[in-house]
Amino acid sequence: MCQIFVNTDPILYEARSRSVRIHGMVTSIRLENLFWNVLAGIAAEQGTTTNRLIVTLYDEVVEVHGSVQNLASFLRVSCVRYLTLTPDAAADDVAGEMKAVAAASGGDGASVVALRPGRARSR
């Protein structure tokens, strides 16, 4: 069983920092490449950018909990939950270009992470 894990391409667990502007404030987020790939796949499914997806997720967690204790950890958990809730995503090659995946709602094309109505989508 360990061969599944030890044969993972090291580039996937190499961490990269990216700057994201959240409401005028620039913040640096450090995630492993695999998580950046999953976020990019979710963003592509949503027809938005990775940065816009992160801002949307940030806004939604602030709305529900009042603050974000650890944005990088929240994003990692969000990626894992997304892959868990979308069985087709686990079958896709998330290490490279992630394909659009069926939604957890039964594959009817509905989005797992829906942008709120009235929010502009940027590319």
Side-chain angles (χ1 to χ4, degrees), residues 18-85:
R18 295 188 184 177
S19 294
V20 177
R21 183 176 301 272
I22 300 175
H23 305 299
M25 299 292 293
V26 177
T27 187
S28 179
I29 301 171
R30 187 167 181 83
L31 297 173
E32 293 73 18
N33 288 323
L34 180 61
F35 291 111
W36 286 118
N37 292 345
V38 173
L39 288 170
I42 296 168
E45 177 189 309
Q46 297 299 310
T48 190
T49 65
T50 302
N51 285 2
R52 183 70 210 144
L53 173 68
I54 291 169
V55 171
T56 300
L57 291 171
Y58 175 89
D59 288 346
E60 289 178 359
V61 77
V62 166
E63 186 176 309
V64 171
H65 297 288
S67 67
V68 181
Q69 297 298 319
N70 185 327
L71 183 57
S73 292
F74 170 73
L75 293 172
R76 283 186 194 93
V77 170
S78 296
C79 288
V80 171
R81 290 195 55 155
Y82 173 81
L83 293 173
T84 301
L85 294 171

Side-chain angles (χ1 to χ4, degrees), residues 1-22:
M1 179 171 140
C2 288
Q3 293 304 310
I4 294 170
F5 304 111
V6 299
N7 287 328
T8 300
D9 184 353
I11 197 75
L12 293 177
Y13 52 86
E14 180 178 300
R16 297 238 189 254
S17 293
R18 295 188 184 177
S19 294
V20 177
R21 183 176 301 272
I22 300 175

